[in-house]
Amino acid sequence: MALNLDELGITPAGLDAVRPFAVETLDVRGRAVALGPVLQTILGRHDYPEPVSRLLAEAIVLTCLLGTSLKFDGRFTLQTQTQGPVSMLVVDFASPDAIRACATYDAERVEALMEAGKATPEALLGHGHLAMTIDQGQHMQRYQGLVELDGVSLEEVARRYFERSEQIPTEVRLAVGELFTRQEGEGPNRTWTAGGVVVQFLPESPERMRQADLDPGDAPEGTEIHEVEEDDAWVEAKLLVETVKDVELTDPEVSVEMLLFRLFHERGVRLFEPQPLLDKCRCSREKIEGVLAGFSAEEIEQMTIDGKIVVTCEFCSTKYEFDD
């Protein structure tokens, strides 16, 4: 079925905006996003190897989907710490719209995986943990959830997080792509795109949200595991989301509205106002001055080169110069 947004009176969210939605007949709510210029700007300012950029892009998509669900002025931070070649990913969302991100990696180990054709997200991350932190601001308690990273994708990590920390049935799809264009007389131009969708089962009756017990681990042999049959509505919603292809999430010509219509038109999907995203860092000269003020005279001397201290923001690559 073709979808004419103009006839329906719907203004497309476009790139770099999260579109919240609900499918009330299935008791699910979710968010969908397509990233373009914001993603390109963030990745373009860093000279990361292609697999590292791709992995960081997945983390950015996931953070946009989860961070925009905040109902207050605050911050949502996704951070990995692992023994893998990409030892750290940090993606920081400050409501209502600011996103920034960076990665720390071992260039030699990443290159070795690339040469072996094994630079998958799972191999790059390795073993460690992923932390999702919600900061509600001054005088408010921070909340942090930890999920083990044991050679699984970020999609699977997100599912585990909601299953274990929030007890909310959740399905996640993330995808990253590259567009190659060429102007006459010029070399190919590469542009990053990415997209994702998260769907959660939130029925009015808590009984319908019951899930099977977690793996008992080292429980004695014969321990009975309480099994719960999944709700039919959630099974249907999950199966529909699983049909989403990567190209549907990364093709700029496929809007999030078109994707949601394809998935849920038989059930009816309700769209809410999109939430724009901006590439925006929170660093400033004043903040860095405050950090430097905490160092001793000896430490300041060690940082000084040719009479200057140069501090580079890991997120936005802005350089700040100070005299000693």
Side-chain angles (χ1 to χ4, degrees):
M1 297 177 64
L3 176 64
N4 189 316
L5 296 179
D6 290 334
E7 289 182 358
L8 297 174
I10 297 172
T11 301
L15 297 174
D16 302 328
V18 173
R19 173 71 86 172
F21 66 90
V23 184
E24 289 156 352
T25 54
L26 294 176
D27 289 315
V28 301
R29 299 178 75 88
R31 308 177 106 72
V33 67
L35 295 178
V38 164
L39 181 68
Q40 179 63 26
T41 301
I42 292 174
L43 297 181
R45 67 167 57 103
H46 299 290
D47 190 23
Y48 296 144
E50 185 270 342
V52 178
S53 290
R54 188 174 291 273
L55 180 61
L56 183 60
E58 278 196 19
I60 291 171
V61 174
L62 181 57
T63 301
C64 289
L65 291 170
L66 301 183
T68 51
S69 66
L70 296 180
K71 304 299 183 185
F72 49 82
D73 289 335
R75 289 170 50 197
F76 176 88
T77 303
L78 181 152
Q79 180 173 333
T80 66
Q81 286 190 319
T82 71
Q83 300 299 317
V86 179
S87 57
M88 185 180 296
L89 298 172
V90 182
V91 189
D92 184 71
F93 175 85
S95 60
D97 55 17
I99 191 83
R100 61 179 188 167
C102 64
T104 302
Y105 65 98
D106 184 317
E108 291 184 1
R109 293 175 67 189
V110 171
E111 184 178 354
L113 283 177
M114 292 174 66
E115 291 178 351
K118 298 179 179 179
T120 63
E122 295 82 0
L124 291 169
L125 285 173
H127 293 264
H129 70 267
L130 178 146
M132 297 186 190
T133 306
I134 296 174
D135 188 343
Q136 302 181 62
Q138 258 188 328
H139 313 302
M140 299 292 287
Q141 185 174 3
R142 289 200 319 165
Y143 170 79
Q144 185 175 80
L146 294 177
V147 187
E148 181 184 9
L149 287 171
D150 53 2
V152 297
S153 67
L154 286 178
E155 284 184 357
E156 180 58 30
V157 168
R159 295 185 192 105
R160 291 183 182 181
Y161 170 78
F162 282 101
E163 176 186 0
R164 299 176 183 182
S165 300
E166 306 292 335
Q167 285 80 54
I168 299 176
T170 302
E171 184 61 31
V172 181
R173 282 286 289 112
L174 309 171
V176 179
E178 295 176 89
L179 296 178
F180 290 90
T181 57
R182 182 190 296 271
Q183 299 287 342
E184 188 174 348
E186 299 180 4
N189 180 48
R190 182 177 73 180
T191 303
W192 288 102
T193 67
V197 59
V198 58
V199 175
Q200 297 185 308
F201 185 50
L202 297 167
E204 291 185 8
S205 169
E207 284 296 304
R208 293 180 60 205
M209 288 180 61
R210 290 183 304 167
Q211 301 182 75
D213 290 345
L214 299 178
D215 190 308
D218 296 328
E221 185 177 348
T223 299
E224 184 178 351
I225 301 175
H226 179 58
E227 296 185 0
V228 176
E229 193 170 323
E230 288 188 302
D231 189 277
D232 289 343
W234 173 237
V235 171
E236 180 179 343
K238 188 166 62 170
L239 289 174
L240 288 172
V241 175
E242 288 173 355
T243 67
V244 176
K245 299 179 176 62
D246 284 1
V247 68
E248 293 177 292
L249 294 172
T250 59
D251 185 348
E253 299 299 318
V254 179
S255 69
V256 293
E257 293 80 11
M258 292 171 64
L259 174 63
L260 295 174
F261 178 76
R262 183 188 75 76
L263 288 176
F264 301 116
H265 68 272
E266 291 185 356
R267 288 294 192 170
V269 57
R270 183 180 177 192
L271 304 180
F272 300 98
E273 285 298 310
Q275 298 169 257
L277 300 164
L278 299 174
D279 162 42
K280 188 188 297 183
C281 192
R282 295 197 311 277
C283 71
S284 70
R285 188 174 185 85
E286 291 71 27
K287 287 182 179 179
I288 294 173
E289 281 181 348
V291 173
L292 292 176
F295 289 102
S296 67
E298 182 181 353
E299 290 170 324
I300 291 293
E301 184 179 355
Q302 292 174 351
M303 287 186 249
T304 304
I305 301 175
D306 297 330
K308 293 181 179 180
I309 299 170
V310 180
V311 179
T312 302
C313 176
E314 290 293 327
F315 287 100
C316 67
S317 300
T318 300
K319 290 186 177 182
Y320 297 90
E321 289 190 3
F322 304 86
D323 59 39
D324 53 3

